[in-house]
């Protein structure tokens, strides 16, 4: 048999039986996400951000707030652990079992008014000027530290999450209340510069100031599009804002600064 | 203030070298980039060994999970493809123990009739008789175009073993392809045998 003819027929067989649009990306990434978080990627994202939110330093009940502007932000650098594989960076501390942990049902969607009432604080929403369209509102009540929790594990604060459709992407906001006067403390992995986890992976995190207010901003690359922002308002509301696909800094800050 | 198109957003890690570097520093976007770059070729490689699309998808997904687990062992001064396809081929061979041999390459007959349909059918029937290890050699040599030395490195077998396995696989393929096909006609591949290098 002609070797060239065989090769051509064999390659043709493989190409015809496995079309060009065949892909395993979703399967691979969801499995990796599940392994990293122990459950589905959607839940993992929410849990991760809830854990990040809980990383804010909840001190005792002092309630002295800055008069204007956001609270300062402190990056808490944690070492990168390379002994357990490529993605072993320490998760943000203080993240206690959130309400949507494995085995628990995700919170049912609610209305903004109901979330406001349950939350007990003013829920910040996107300004109408941004054009963001509200899609869903969720409320997760506070959760005590579960029995058998690790030492130092914090209770999960009540969380309002709101999903918006925004300029072709989905912007998801998580809001918790921090009664302390402490700065917002956000864990970052120390690996040649601070990196922080988002649902898309690790990205450089920096504290950026706009109109005198501080925001922790996670970008895809230094100076690149924005994936995640976090800040603590003068009223003690800790906000995490994530975009389903990264957006320009101006687009991200337009959304963040219009929240009220 | 339109958001950037997805392709531009992701361009920072779509390159293979950047994907590897990103994954080695723990950024799973690097894995996504590597999957995007290699998944189709990996799927076809696994199909060549397993003869089933769903089994190939399972094997390739497992292979990329192994990439995720082992990327820190990869030496970036060396080529990535042999390292990757070693994982893919070995995973596919492992999966072949679970696969139903009788249904292998059945999907080759499911496709729409084309000019080369008969050829494909015959090759599928011939490949089916080979062992997964022999199929792996054939895929590495004829689909991925690795030379014998590279094939032996990927399979981590002595070059002599690779050569004899390749020779044996060719012999078996030649025997299969010289059989009359189901319609009793002469194989188109035989008709095309013009005395060039024989498989």
């Amino acid at each position: 048999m002609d070797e060239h003819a065989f090769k051509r027929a064999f390659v043709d067989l493989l190409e015809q039986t496995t079309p060009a649009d065949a892909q395993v990306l979703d399967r691979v990434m969801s499995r990796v996400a599940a392994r990293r978080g122990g459950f589905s990627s959607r839940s993992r994202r929410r849990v991760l951000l809830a854990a990040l939110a809980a990383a804010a330093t909840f001190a005792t009940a002092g309630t002295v707030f800055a008069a204007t502007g956001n609270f300062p932000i402190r990056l808490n650098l944690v070492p990168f652990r390379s002994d357990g594989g490529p993605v072993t960076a320490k998760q943000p501390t203080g993240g206690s079992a959130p309400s949507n942990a494995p085995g628990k049902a995700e919170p049912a969607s609610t209305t903004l008014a109901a979330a406001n009432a349950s939350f007990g604080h003013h829920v910040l929403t996107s300004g109408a000027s941004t054009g963001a369209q509200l899609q869903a509102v969720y409320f997760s009540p506070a959760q005590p530290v579960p029995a058998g929790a690790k030492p130092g594990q914090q209770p999960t604060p009540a969380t309002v999450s709101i999903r918006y459709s925004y300029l072709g992407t989905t912007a998801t906001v998580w809001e918790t209340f921090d009664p302390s006067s402490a700065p917002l403390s956000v864990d970052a992995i120390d690996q040649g510069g601070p990196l922080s986890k988002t649902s898309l992976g690790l990205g450089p995190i920096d504290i950026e100031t706009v109109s005198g207010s501080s925001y922790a901003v996670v970008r895809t690359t230094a100076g690149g599009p924005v994936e995640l922002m976090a800040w603590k308002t003068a009223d003690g509301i800790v906000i995490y804002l994530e975009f389903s696909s990264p957006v320009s800094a101006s687009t991200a800050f337009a959304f963040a600064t219009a929240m009220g | 203030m339109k958001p950037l198109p997805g392709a531009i957003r992701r361009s920072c890690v779509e390159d293979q070298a950047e994907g590897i570097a990103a994954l080695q520093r723990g950024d799973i976007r690097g894995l996504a980039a590597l999957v995007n770059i290699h998944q189709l070729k990996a799927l076809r490689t696994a199909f060549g060994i397993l003869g089933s699309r769903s089994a190939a998808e399972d094997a390739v997904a497992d292979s990329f999970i192994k990439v995720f687990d082992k990327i820190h062992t990869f030496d970036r001064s060396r080529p990535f493809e042999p390292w990757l396809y070693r994982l893919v081929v070995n995973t596919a061979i492992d999966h072949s123990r679970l696969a139903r041999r009788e249904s292998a390459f059945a999907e080759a007959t499911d496709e729409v009739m084309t000019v080369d349909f008969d050829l494909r059918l015959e090759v599928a029937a011939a490949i089916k008789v080979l062992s997964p290890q022999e199929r792996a050699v054939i895929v590495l040599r004829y689909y991925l175009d690795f030379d014998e030395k590279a094939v032996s490195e990927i399979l981590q077998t002595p070059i002599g073993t690779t050569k004899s396995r390749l020779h044996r696989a060719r012999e078996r393929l030649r025997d299969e392809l010289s059989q009359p096909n189901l319609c009793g006609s002469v194989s188109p591949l035989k008709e095309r045998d013009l005395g060039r290098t024989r498989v």
Side-chain angles (χ1 to χ4, degrees), chain A residues 24 27, chain B residues 43 47 50-61 95 107:
Chain A
V24 292
R27 286 178 64 174
Chain B
L43 281 166
F47 182 89
L50 291 161
S52 156
R53 201 180 300 169
S54 63
E57 288 175 1
D58 290 343
V60 171
H95 279 231
E107 285 152 305

Side-chain angles (χ1 to χ4, degrees), chain A residues 2-3 27 35 202 227, chain B residues 3 29 58 62 69 142 196:
Chain A
D2 177 344
E3 187 173 22
R27 286 178 64 174
R35 279 176 42 165
L202 282 173
E227 296 178 4
Chain B
R29 287 170 296 187
D58 290 343
D62 281 357
D69 288 336
Y142 290 103
R196 286 187 280 180

Side-chain angles (χ1 to χ4, degrees), chain A residues 1-2, chain B residues 192-198:
Chain A
M1 181 181 56
D2 177 344
Chain B
R192 291 181 188 189
D193 182 356
L194 301 176
R196 286 187 280 180
T197 309
R198 284 170 174 263

Side-chain angles (χ1 to χ4, degrees), chain B residues 14-105:
Chain B
E14 279 181 350
D15 173 70
Q16 176 173 290
E18 283 190 42
I20 294 166
L23 187 54
Q24 285 187 328
R25 64 174 182 265
D27 186 340
I28 61 168
R29 287 170 296 187
L31 179 64
L34 295 176
V35 173
N36 271 325
I37 292 168
H38 291 288
Q39 61 184 342
L40 183 57
K41 218 167 175 180
L43 281 166
R44 288 172 175 165
T45 297
F47 182 89
I49 296 168
L50 291 161
S52 156
R53 201 180 300 169
S54 63
E57 288 175 1
D58 290 343
V60 171
D62 281 357
S63 302
F64 281 113
I65 296 296
K66 289 178 182 175
V67 169
F68 173 72
D69 288 336
K70 296 173 184 285
I71 193 70
H72 62 285
T73 68
F74 172 66
D75 177 357
R76 278 152 68 182
S77 67
R78 298 178 66 83
F80 180 66
E81 282 80 3
W83 186 85
L84 170 67
Y85 286 105
R86 179 184 302 157
L87 291 177
V88 173
V89 166
N90 287 337
T91 305
I93 290 172
D94 286 346
H95 279 231
S96 70
R97 300 187 181 104
L98 308 171
R100 292 177 59 207
R101 190 179 174 87
E102 65 273 17
S103 62
F105 295 95

Side-chain angles (χ1 to χ4, degrees), chain A residues 150-191:
Chain A
K150 291 177 183 175
Q153 190 165 328
Q154 301 288 322
T156 305
T159 306
V160 175
S161 54
I162 309 175
R163 196 169 67 234
Y164 298 91
S165 171
Y166 176 57
L167 295 177
T169 185
T170 299
T172 307
V173 176
W174 287 263
E175 300 183 28
T176 57
F177 177 65
D178 175 6
S180 80
S181 58
L184 174 64
S185 176
V186 178
D187 280 5
I189 297 156
D190 185 11
Q191 197 188 11

Side-chain angles (χ1 to χ4, degrees), chain A residues 16-33:
Chain A
Q16 292 296 324
T17 48
T18 308
D21 60 353
Q23 61 99 17
V24 292
L25 180 64
D26 291 345
R27 286 178 64 174
V28 172
M29 300 314 287
S30 63
R31 280 178 59 182
V32 169

Side-chain angles (χ1 to χ4, degrees), chain B residues 78 82 86 148-157 159 162:
Chain B
R78 298 178 66 83
R86 179 184 302 157
E148 290 176 345
K149 182 170 179 290
V151 171
S152 75
E153 286 174 0
I154 289 170
L155 296 176
Q156 295 181 299
T157 54
I159 184 77
T162 298

